[in-house]
Amino acid sequence: MAEILIHNAAWAVVWDAPARRHAYVRGVDIHLADGKVAAIAAHDPAAPPPPGVEVIAGEGLLVLPGLVNVHTHPTTEPGIRGVREDHGVPEQQMTGLFERSQAFRLDEAGRRAAMRLAYAELMAAGVTSVVDLSAPFPGWLDVMRESGLRSWAGPGFASAQWDMAAPQTVTWEWTEGAGRAGFQRAQALMEEAERDPSGRLSAIVFPAQIDTVEEDLLRDAMALAEQTGRPFTTHIAQAVVEVREMIRRHGTTPIQWAAEIGLLTPRSILGHAIFLDEHPSIGWHTQRDLAVMAERGVAVAHCPSPFARYGEHLKHFGRYADRGVRMAMGTDCAPHNLIEEMRLAILLARNAARDLAAADTAAVFHAATVGGAEALGRPDLGRITPGGAADLVLVDLAHPLMAPPRDPLRALVFHAADRAVRRVMVAGETVFADGRPTRLDLADAAGVLAESQARMLRDAAQRDYLGRDGDMIAPLSLHGLGPIA
Ligand SMILES: [Zn+2]
């Protein structure tokens, strides 16, 4: 990479190392070299830019560290756009997870197209590091590589599948050897990602759900993470149905059981740890989950949108953080708009707590940057600091929704969101500019995904427990008027 100078940036959010928090600076030159931030200096109007350096005029810009998204499913979620937003099962405390998982299966062509659209959504909203939790398929790592983002490949594996025979019933269908076979495949893929010459692909150990993987395999998965230095993640306390089942199996909550078998460590990222023992939808007597999570040093992948759609939320961001749980942010579902997710995190925390102090812009931005980077064991990411990665988001202060730029981070989070993101850089390379990815080919993605979704909705009739097709499971939001005479 050539050297780059962001010249006289009007505003930047830089890392205040002694205070361990982000801080504003104004009128600053940011030098990038070899994919890193080389220097941050007060702008000197008398000193011209050095020759041979690419200059980015910073007068109209807010410069932010790239966002870190620790929980996404890019290869499926855009495929249920228009399907899942109003869908849920009242008999399962509103979650639609189990019903959709059984009925809907996106084919490979659709998953590849979904992934392209999702990666474009991610970078459009300022994400430079993404944890991609997927059932692997051929070409998965290729799209990561093409995008230019820093990607953590999390190839999922599980020993059981959820099955429903009625709205009020979920059962676990265990297949001997399936989890082990998936674990073997996952190991090969994780090693392949880590060998990638771009240096931007990493791996995360991902047994898919706490309730679908047997205990010895969960233990082995964590042992692998420890041996290889990789982060570890799984879905846990994400549904009332799951928590009740884990209590039935083990006599204790999934969080406390996970602690007993050694899964809760500082390398553990818990998606989504919402339904703790003390959550009103659970009401289990122990009241210990949050303390156990804090003692073991875990991070939470906080993804408010999918749960808010069901009428549920984590209770609450400020309380978890105050008790010492490390908070990171993810999007989980489409749209992969981490800026809007930050806004929702603030609003839900305040509504859950009925307290303005339960979350604010600074706390949630910290989670979406430093919180995620540290959860992934990468202190060079999520902050603008000399020697740190040149992963940056350039925000247009001239966008009307940023005006007036009195407090531009607030303007971005509460007002403009992705609409004001002009350029996204990873290791100093521009991967997104002026509304489009620079490397990622989106040409056919929307059309391919539409066709694939149509097949998925049609074929749901063979998979759904009531034999319904997708339009019956999730009707359109409005009825059709029919032909107009
Ligand atoms: Zn998830």
Side-chain angles (χ1 to χ4, degrees):
M1 161 200 148
E3 283 187 42
I4 296 174
L5 172 63
I6 303 174
H7 188 247
N8 195 19
W11 292 81
V13 168
V14 300
W15 184 239
D16 180 352
R20 285 204 40 76
R21 55 195 293 201
H22 293 298
Y24 275 138
V25 288
R26 305 188 65 176
V28 66
D29 289 345
I30 303 174
H31 296 257
L32 313 179
D34 301 323
K36 296 184 174 161
V37 175
I40 304 167
H43 177 67
D44 176 1
V53 167
E54 180 188 342
V55 175
I56 298 173
E59 281 83 358
L61 296 177
L62 160 68
V63 184
L64 298 177
L67 306 181
V68 180
N69 188 330
V70 299
H71 191 107
T72 69
H73 309 294
T75 60
T76 49
E77 288 299 323
I80 45 176
R81 205 190 312 274
V83 175
R84 78 168 275 175
E85 296 86 349
D86 293 321
H87 172 253
V89 179
E91 293 85 348
Q92 296 176 13
Q93 285 82 13
M94 301 300 166
T95 185
L97 172 67
F98 304 97
E99 185 168 280
R100 283 196 309 275
S101 299
Q102 182 172 29
F104 297 136
R105 196 64 45 95
L106 202 62
D107 58 27
E108 250 179 58
R111 289 157 72 195
R112 254 189 293 279
M115 183 180 180
R116 289 179 179 279
L117 295 174
Y119 272 58
E121 290 170 21
L122 286 159
M123 55 181 89
V127 168
T128 54
S129 292
V130 57
V131 174
D132 180 334
L133 305 173
S134 290
F137 56 89
W140 181 43
L141 299 182
D142 297 332
V143 180
M144 286 181 198
R145 191 178 298 121
E146 182 185 325
S147 76
L149 289 183
R150 288 187 205 278
S151 304
W152 276 254
F157 51 92
S159 322
Q161 285 201 313
W162 298 314
D163 189 65
M164 283 178 65
Q168 71 279 13
T169 310
V170 176
T171 52
W172 282 255
E173 304 300 322
W174 299 84
T175 303
E176 181 77 34
R180 287 280 162 194
F183 188 44
Q184 289 297 326
R185 283 194 297 274
Q187 288 181 64
L189 271 163
M190 290 191 285
E191 287 164 16
E192 187 186 338
E194 288 164 342
R195 281 197 304 269
D196 191 74
S198 71
R200 294 189 195 169
L201 304 196
S202 305
I204 183 166
V205 181
F206 173 46
Q209 295 94 11
I210 193 72
D211 51 304
T212 62
V213 181
E214 63 265 56
E215 179 182 334
D216 63 330
L217 184 51
L218 287 168
R219 288 180 186 269
D220 288 354
M222 177 50 88
L224 178 73
E226 296 284 355
Q227 282 156 25
T228 55
R230 294 177 185 133
F232 172 98
T233 193
T234 192
H235 290 96
I236 184 168
Q238 67 164 338
V240 175
V241 170
E242 166 223 316
V243 176
R244 295 278 173 237
E245 169 66 11
M246 295 302 282
I247 289 173
R248 188 195 66 76
R249 287 184 205 168
H250 305 293
T252 188
T253 64
I255 294 288
Q256 292 176 50
W257 184 71
E260 281 170 23
I261 67 168
L263 301 187
L264 303 193
T265 80
R267 68 177 69 255
S268 311
I269 302 176
L270 307 185
H272 302 277
I274 287 178
F275 296 104
L276 305 188
D277 47 12
E278 64 189 79
H279 192 286
S281 296
I282 300 297
W284 186 246
H285 65 93
T286 51
Q287 315 276 307
R288 284 189 55 237
D289 283 359
L290 198 55
V292 167
M293 287 161 57
E295 283 161 17
R296 306 296 173 105
V298 302
V300 167
H302 181 35
C303 310
S305 270
F307 301 96
R309 289 175 183 173
Y310 299 138
E312 277 290 9
H313 48 242
L314 180 140
K315 295 187 186 309
H316 55 77
F317 183 99
R319 185 151 184 281
Y320 280 42
D322 288 348
R323 292 286 293 274
V325 175
R326 299 153 64 209
M327 298 303 284
M329 296 285 307
T331 45
D332 199 35
C333 61
H336 296 87
N337 191 322
L338 199 59
I339 305 174
E340 292 188 339
E341 211 65 13
M342 283 191 260
R343 182 194 312 154
L344 186 59
I346 296 168
L347 301 182
L348 287 176
R350 288 176 180 170
N351 278 271
R354 305 182 74 189
D355 180 1
L356 194 71
D360 62 15
T361 306
V364 172
F365 185 72
H366 186 99
T369 51
V370 175
E374 292 186 345
L376 293 169
R378 289 293 300 267
D380 59 322
L381 304 178
R383 67 200 74 187
I384 299 178
T385 192
D391 292 9
L392 303 175
V393 182
L394 308 188
V395 177
D396 180 9
L397 293 170
H399 192 285
L401 287 166
M402 294 295 293
R406 185 214 166 222
D407 188 324
L409 191 59
R410 270 192 199 133
L412 182 77
V413 170
F414 279 92
H415 302 262
D418 54 306
R419 288 168 289 209
V421 171
R422 279 294 159 269
R423 192 201 282 231
V424 178
M425 305 167 91
V426 176
E429 181 196 355
T430 298
V431 298
F432 179 90
D434 301 321
R436 5 183 22 93
T438 60
R439 297 169 44 148
L440 188 64
D441 181 6
L442 298 180
D444 302 323
V448 169
L449 184 58
E451 288 172 11
S452 176
Q453 187 191 65
R455 290 191 292 273
M456 177 190 84
L457 295 173
R458 179 197 66 200
D459 295 346
Q462 272 107 60
R463 308 173 52 88
D464 180 63
Y465 58 97
L466 294 173
R468 299 168 297 175
D469 67 14
D471 289 337
M472 293 172 71
I473 296 168
L476 296 181
S477 55
L478 302 178
H479 75 285
L481 197 54
I484 297 176

